[in-house]
Amino acid sequence: MVAENDWNDLRNRFPAVLFRLSHRTKKKYRSGYREGDKDGEWPQPVVDSMRGWWEIAGDDVQALHDEQALGVGYAVAFHQGRTLAVVQINGWRWVAGLKGDDHHKKAVDTLRVDPREGLESGPIEDERWRRFEHDGQRLRWAFEASPAPDDVHRAWMGEDQNGTPIGGMRRDTIVSVWPYSLVDDERDLIERALRILGAELQGHFARSFGQVQTTTLIRDAYGDEVRSDRYLDPPLGTFSHDPGHWLRVVLSNWSIVRGSLLPLTDDDFHQLRRFRNDWAHFAYRQEVTEDEIASLRCMTELLDGIGAKSAATTVKFICKVLGVQVGRRQEAATS
């Protein structure tokens, strides 16, 4: 019932920054991708192109780099909707003063070790980049790379090593973040987390209590409201993934289900129900706050507690993305 869903994607365990490589159109240009790159030292030509230089907002790079923010540890190159290579990121570096197409023509290491007159460069820890950016100078970013661990490589490149699909809007995005990006709408991220909660609670009841007892628990929670079998035929199949339904079942049968839902208390479930109801009725007119993020953290405790590890990992990353967005909004309001 919940095996086929995006939060069970193995790649979610290893958040990555994605770089879409275009075709190389001129041999003298370093960046991009061409079929000939598979000859010789594959995948090094693709890795070299993926490393940069990329025009990314410095605060976004800082969020990727900071373990307390997003802590993204991997980079993935893709072309025409399929991954080409994955590497581990070992630190970011900036350069200021590149002109025109210069960022295409020279490799990352060439610019790093052979700076030209008027070119400034440094690691992300050298925060002169903030001053350059504030003064309106164009910054470009690259990163140090090493081979990704075997489990990361398998997740991103597949068991057959032929790559995994990159679908949807990401195909048109030069730089993105997996599984969720800083440009994702915060309301949509909350909705995604709530859908995960509903589906995982449904799966938990099916595994822990079986069809017959779960049906009894639903009827006890809803009484005459669910006497129609349209809610339960096929068994549990059409009973909505809306977490509001399952949170009601939990709270109405707390003495029966509590042992399977540790470490959360009934107060935690009341908090989650208020969170769900608030967003069901008023999300259109409110922004995410620390209160919603606290509820999402409570949700991850629940998901971890019921063994939904993949779901918990995904919601934790949603928490991180929302935390960065909320922090930036608060900083802008006080500046």
Side-chain angles (χ1 to χ4, degrees):
M1 177 166 51
V2 293
E4 299 294 329
N5 50 56
D6 61 357
W7 57 93
N8 280 325
D9 190 320
L10 288 177
R11 296 174 294 186
N12 292 357
R13 294 172 53 202
F14 311 107
V17 54
L18 307 182
F19 298 101
R20 178 173 64 81
L21 300 187
S22 60
H23 281 290
R24 292 196 204 186
T25 57
K26 298 179 181 179
K27 291 185 179 180
K28 66 178 181 178
Y29 278 18
R30 172 194 58 78
S31 65
Y33 166 73
R34 57 177 173 234
E35 291 297 331
D37 286 339
K38 288 194 174 182
D39 300 331
E41 297 179 355
W42 173 264
Q44 197 57 46
V46 167
V47 172
D48 290 342
S49 290
M50 172 172 55
R51 286 180 59 199
W53 299 88
W54 299 92
E55 192 169 1
I56 312 173
D59 282 342
D60 286 354
V61 180
Q62 183 67 62
L64 291 169
H65 179 71
D66 187 353
E67 285 293 332
Q68 299 305 311
L70 300 184
V72 172
Y74 306 99
V76 173
F78 72 99
H79 177 72
Q80 294 185 337
R82 197 157 193 88
T83 59
L84 299 174
V86 57
V87 294
Q88 181 170 303
I89 297 173
N90 296 326
W92 288 86
R93 192 170 189 89
W94 55 268
V95 63
L98 285 171
K99 306 295 184 182
D101 288 336
D102 287 353
H103 64 286
H104 285 299
K105 298 175 183 178
K106 289 193 175 183
V108 169
D109 296 325
T110 300
L111 287 171
R112 181 170 63 86
V113 302
D114 184 23
R116 300 166 301 163
E117 183 179 352
L119 188 68
E120 296 283 352
S121 180
I124 191 170
E125 292 78 12
D126 176 358
E127 295 202 356
R128 286 183 298 153
W129 62 265
R130 295 188 183 276
R131 173 168 54 83
F132 285 120
E133 203 167 54
H134 181 267
D135 292 342
Q137 186 156 179
R138 175 176 290 181
L139 289 180
R140 291 187 181 271
W141 292 86
F143 55 90
E144 304 291 345
S146 62
D150 289 344
D151 53 349
V152 179
H153 198 272
R154 282 193 299 272
W156 276 103
M157 296 304 297
E159 293 292 344
D160 59 5
Q161 304 301 304
N162 288 326
T164 56
I166 300 293
M169 294 292 290
R170 296 179 191 274
R171 294 192 184 194
D172 299 319
T173 303
I174 299 296
V175 180
S176 184
V177 181
W178 186 286
Y180 301 107
S181 176
L182 288 171
V183 299
D184 286 341
D185 182 84
E186 58 193 72
R187 292 175 178 82
D188 180 61
L189 292 175
I190 292 287
E191 291 296 329
R192 287 172 184 261
L194 287 170
R195 286 198 297 271
I196 291 172
L197 175 62
E200 292 294 347
L201 278 176
Q202 181 172 7
H204 172 72
F205 272 89
R207 291 188 302 272
S208 300
F209 298 98
Q211 173 188 329
V212 174
Q213 188 174 5
T214 299
T215 300
T216 299
L217 295 173
I218 293 171
R219 292 191 186 280
D220 288 344
Y222 278 84
D224 290 340
E225 296 178 55
V226 295
R227 293 204 179 278
S228 169
D229 285 341
R230 67 187 179 86
Y231 285 95
L232 306 171
D233 187 18
L236 305 182
T238 55
F239 194 74
S240 173
H241 284 183
D242 181 343
H245 293 314
W246 294 101
L247 292 169
R248 179 171 174 175
V249 171
V250 168
L251 290 169
S252 298
N253 298 279
W254 182 245
S255 62
I256 299 172
V257 304
R258 62 186 299 178
S260 74
L261 296 170
L262 298 173
L264 269 62
T265 66
D266 57 340
D267 285 341
D268 294 322
F269 280 96
H270 280 293
Q271 175 186 341
L272 288 173
R273 186 163 70 171
R274 285 192 299 271
F275 169 50
R276 176 267 170 194
N277 289 343
D278 191 31
W279 275 83
H281 299 293
F282 303 113
Y284 69 93
R285 68 182 188 193
Q286 75 179 70
E287 294 178 324
V288 173
T289 68
E290 291 291 350
D291 288 341
E292 282 75 43
I293 293 175
S295 292
L296 289 177
R297 293 193 184 104
C298 180
M299 189 187 300
T300 62
E301 287 187 55
L302 168 62
L303 295 170
D304 272 327
I306 63 176
K309 301 299 183 183
S310 295
T313 296
T314 299
V315 174
K316 285 175 185 175
F317 198 74
I318 289 176
C319 272
K320 287 186 172 185
V321 172
L322 290 173
V324 172
Q325 292 176 333
V326 169
R328 289 181 179 178
R329 192 165 58 246
Q330 291 172 343
E331 182 177 343
T334 57
S335 63

